[in-house]
């Protein structure tokens, strides 16, 4: 009887985690670049009641007698399916990714992080203005350098093509590539886009940022890895979350019903124990 109590309790704990995950998805339904999470479960150890059994004729039965001991959370997996692209006319620093790529940014500790949130802004720095996230983190190009628009150019003249190449509009309406000099060599800057072998293994650190892990594998730069299917960058667009509210509401109802059934199992076990305790010889 105690097995049923602990098995049902483990089910309630698992469904609470499931509901927490669903609630987080619904809370971020309007978060730019958010990717929904899904809780996954697996069974606990099985207790063997009878390893071998026979029927009335003395013949071995084909299956043993085992009873499960409940469930636990195995993983919370992030789904990186494409979110809807929403236009934002007049916001030339907003960008959305169509494909499997991630933007590269540098956090306050100097570490490279990754995001699908392209709601970028411009921040004044020495020599011009820098493309940055809403938290002020620099957006990096293909060579891990910040993207800075020189002071002699207007910030509203920034143009980004679908390959991520950056251009500036001159006073005579001409577009010139945004360049940067590094190690004595001048190159044309483009938005740094990377991909991962297993994006579900990325470590989410909040603020729409991710860090690579052993599970995700190393970041692979799209501009230097021809084998990758190249992502497209859409200027004046933002990628919205991939959360489907109707699906999450259904999942929430299923989780609630499963929680209730497990609580009913605990109540039933308690009543049976009470009856057994009240038995008189």
């Amino acid at each position: 009887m105690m097995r049923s109590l602990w098995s049902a309790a483990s089910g309630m704990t698992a469904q609470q985690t499931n509901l927490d995950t669903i609630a987080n998805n619904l809370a971020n339904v309007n978060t730019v670049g958010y990717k929904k999470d899904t809780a996954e479960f697996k069974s606990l150890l099985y207790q063997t009641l009878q390893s071998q059994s026979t029927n009335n004729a003395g013949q071995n039965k084909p299956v043993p007698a085992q009873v499960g001991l409940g469930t636990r959370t195995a993983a919370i997996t992030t789904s990186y399916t494409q979110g809807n692209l929403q236009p934002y006319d007049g916001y030339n620093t907003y960008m959305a990714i169509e494909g499997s790529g991630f933007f590269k940014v540098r956090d306050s500790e100097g570490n490279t992080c990754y995001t699908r949130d392209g709601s970028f802004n411009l921040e004044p720095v020495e020599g011009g203005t820098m493309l940055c996230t809403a938290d002020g983190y620099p957006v990096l190009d293909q060579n891990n350098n910040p993207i800075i628009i020189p002071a002699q150019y207007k910030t509203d003249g920034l143009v980004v093509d679908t390959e991520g190449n950056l251009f500036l509009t001159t006073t005579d309406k001409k577009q010139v590539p945004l360049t940067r000099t590094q190690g004595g060599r001048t190159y044309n800057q483009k938005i740094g886009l990377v991909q991962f072998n297993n994006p579900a293994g990325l470590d989410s650190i909040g603020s729409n940022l991710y860090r690579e892990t052993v599970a995700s594998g190393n970041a692979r730069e799209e501009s230097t890895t021809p084998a990758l299917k190249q992502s497209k960058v859409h200027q004046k667009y933002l990628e919205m979350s991939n959360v489907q509210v109707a699906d999450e509401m259904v999942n929430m109802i299923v989780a609630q019903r499963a929680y209730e059934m497990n609580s009913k199992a605990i109540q039933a076990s308690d009543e049976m124990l009470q009856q057994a305790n009240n038995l008189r010889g």
Side-chain angles (χ1 to χ4, degrees):
M1 194 66 64
M2 296 301 295
R3 280 195 300 265
S4 61
L5 286 172
W6 288 108
S7 295
S10 71
M12 294 179 69
T13 301
Q15 293 306 320
Q16 182 63 61
T17 302
N18 191 20
L19 187 60
D20 292 342
T21 304
I22 295 169
N24 185 61
N25 289 338
L26 290 173
N28 287 280
V29 67
N30 289 324
T31 300
V32 177
Y34 177 80
K35 300 302 179 183
K36 72 171 185 176
D37 295 326
T38 303
E40 299 179 0
F41 307 97
K42 66 179 180 181
S43 59
L44 296 176
L45 293 174
Y46 277 76
Q47 184 173 357
T48 301
L49 303 181
Q50 206 172 32
S51 59
Q52 290 185 351
S53 58
T54 58
N55 57 20
N56 293 335
Q59 297 172 332
N60 290 331
K61 292 182 179 180
V63 293
Q66 292 180 302
V67 62
L69 300 179
T71 185
R72 73 177 181 87
T73 304
I76 298 179
T77 306
T78 303
S79 173
Y80 287 92
T81 56
Q82 181 74 46
N84 294 328
L85 302 187
Q86 183 171 326
Y88 281 86
D89 291 337
Y91 292 82
N92 67 325
T93 58
Y94 281 10
M95 304 175 200
I97 298 176
E98 179 186 354
S100 302
F102 290 81
F103 295 113
K104 297 188 297 182
V105 300
R106 181 173 295 148
D107 66 12
S108 57
E109 298 178 354
N111 300 314
T112 301
C113 301
Y114 309 93
T115 184
R116 295 278 297 192
D117 181 2
S119 55
F120 301 141
N121 296 287
L122 293 171
E123 178 181 342
V125 295
E126 183 179 356
T129 54
M130 180 178 65
L131 189 67
C132 62
T133 67
D135 292 325
Y137 299 150
V139 180
L140 305 181
D141 65 8
Q142 73 273 31
N143 291 328
N144 296 321
N145 291 316
I147 297 171
I148 298 176
I149 301 175
Q152 63 267 29
Y153 293 98
K154 293 184 177 180
T155 56
D156 58 2
L158 178 67
V159 177
V160 185
D161 65 13
T162 56
E163 295 180 356
N165 296 302
L166 297 162
F167 300 90
L168 297 173
T169 305
T170 61
T171 54
D172 55 355
K173 305 300 182 181
K174 292 182 179 180
Q175 292 182 359
V176 296
L178 179 61
T179 61
R180 185 182 180 93
T181 301
Q182 182 181 26
R185 183 180 65 90
T186 300
Y187 66 92
N188 295 338
Q189 286 188 290
K190 64 185 301 184
I191 297 292
L193 296 176
V194 299
Q195 294 186 23
F196 296 90
N197 290 330
N198 178 31
L202 289 169
D203 181 24
S204 179
I205 59 176
S207 299
N208 289 350
L209 297 177
Y210 302 92
R211 285 180 182 159
E212 68 178 46
T213 64
V214 175
S216 68
N218 295 328
R220 297 190 293 170
E221 183 72 42
E222 288 192 358
S223 62
T224 57
T225 313
L228 295 177
K229 183 178 180 181
Q230 303 296 300
S231 304
K232 293 182 179 180
V233 178
H234 297 277
Q235 189 179 21
K236 298 182 181 180
Y237 281 82
L238 288 180
E239 180 190 12
M240 307 311 293
S241 75
N242 62 352
V243 175
Q244 298 296 325
V245 175
D247 292 343
E248 297 302 318
M249 293 298 292
V250 171
N251 292 337
M252 183 168 59
I253 294 173
V254 172
Q256 183 181 7
R257 294 295 179 265
Y259 190 92
E260 290 176 357
M261 291 301 99
N262 281 283
S263 66
K264 292 292 185 182
I266 290 179
Q267 293 177 10
S269 297
D270 179 57
E271 291 174 0
M272 294 172 70
L273 285 171
Q274 184 178 8
Q275 290 179 9
N277 189 54
N278 292 336
L279 288 176
R280 288 184 174 87

